[in-house]
Amino acid sequence: MKEGLVKRISRIISASANALVDSVENATPQLVMEQAIREIDDAIAEVRDQLGKAEAAKYLSSKTLNDENSRHVELSSQIEIAMREGRDDLAEVAIAKQMDIEAQIPVLEKAVSEADQEIAELNACIGALQGKKREMREQLREYAKATDHITNGATGQEQGGSRATSDKVDQATDAFNRVLERAGVPVSESSADAGKLAELEELSRNNRIKERLAKLKSQAEV
């Protein structure tokens, strides 16, 4: 889950109606509370959108993982056939593909696990936000009942307010609208170094391929 969204939800859950109203001098409490409920609805919609993306990501990662595992098994059979036919060149190609798959599998497994965790967290956030919305609605109803016993005339303090109510409500809802940008850390290296590293990796990879082929041959001879 995005860090900014987590912090935003935490602020919403921890905020109380009284604190929201008190944070805005001379604002109409009912308007502040109604706006807070709308902000909760917006947050729930945002979390649901991210939940859908997390579920889609899990599906794609799971499908790719299953496909790669099946391909790995299929390649093992093909390697055995190539060795029996004395086609080391074909066996080496298949082994190279297996090694590529083996490098990807841990990453795919981690992606599926992380997606599962994110889905659980997002569902928990939705439940918490819905609970907070019910709480805010109840507080709003209680406030409405209390104001039924009070005259509708403005107090001297309200008449002397220097800011429009809409501005004050905006100030109250600012606490719910801050989303932090995810920072990226660029990584760079010289083209010469990159070329040498790539050549070294290729040499190492070819060596591993030949070692695996030799091991498979020795196993087949036993």
Side-chain angles (χ1 to χ4, degrees), residues 67-97:
D67 291 344
E68 293 300 298
N69 279 323
S70 298
R71 179 62 174 151
H72 191 281
V73 172
E74 181 183 355
L75 285 167
S76 294
S77 299
Q78 293 174 351
I79 291 169
E80 291 178 3
I81 295 173
M83 289 192 300
R84 285 200 302 267
E85 298 295 327
R87 295 295 304 274
D88 288 0
D89 57 329
L90 298 180
E92 287 184 359
V93 171
I95 289 171
K97 181 59 180 176

Side-chain angles (χ1 to χ4, degrees), residues 49-208:
D49 179 67
Q50 191 164 341
L51 176 60
K53 293 177 181 178
E55 290 174 338
K58 178 188 174 182
Y59 170 79
L60 292 175
S61 296
S62 297
K63 184 178 185 304
T64 303
L65 178 59
N66 291 334
D67 291 344
E68 293 300 298
N69 279 323
S70 298
R71 179 62 174 151
H72 191 281
V73 172
E74 181 183 355
L75 285 167
S76 294
S77 299
Q78 293 174 351
I79 291 169
E80 291 178 3
I81 295 173
M83 289 192 300
R84 285 200 302 267
E85 298 295 327
R87 295 295 304 274
D88 288 0
D89 57 329
L90 298 180
E92 287 184 359
V93 171
I95 289 171
K97 181 59 180 176
Q98 275 191 326
M99 292 171 65
D100 287 340
I101 292 173
E102 289 162 7
Q104 296 173 37
I105 284 177
V107 177
L108 292 168
E109 289 175 339
K110 183 179 180 182
V112 172
S113 176
E114 289 177 347
D116 274 332
Q117 182 179 353
E118 184 177 10
I119 289 169
E121 290 175 353
L122 290 168
N123 279 319
C125 285
I126 290 173
L129 287 168
Q130 289 172 334
K132 187 64 178 181
K133 180 179 177 180
R134 288 190 292 270
E135 175 188 320
M136 293 292 290
R137 279 180 168 172
E138 180 60 29
Q139 291 172 329
L140 180 58
R141 282 193 293 268
E142 291 176 357
Y143 172 79
K145 290 179 182 178
T147 54
D148 284 342
H149 303 288
I150 302 174
T151 60
N152 294 326
T155 64
Q157 183 182 12
E158 290 171 334
Q159 292 171 348
S162 60
R163 293 181 302 145
T165 298
S166 61
D167 293 336
K168 301 164 190 174
V169 172
D170 288 339
Q171 180 182 333
T173 58
D174 280 345
F176 292 154
N177 293 324
R178 302 186 191 101
V179 178
L180 301 178
E181 295 182 354
R182 181 176 299 175
V185 180
V187 178
S188 61
E189 56 186 31
S190 69
S191 57
D193 288 344
K196 290 178 180 178
L197 289 173
E199 183 179 359
L200 179 60
E201 174 60 26
E202 184 64 21
L203 287 173
S204 177
R205 171 185 168 80
N206 289 337
N207 186 59
R208 295 198 305 273

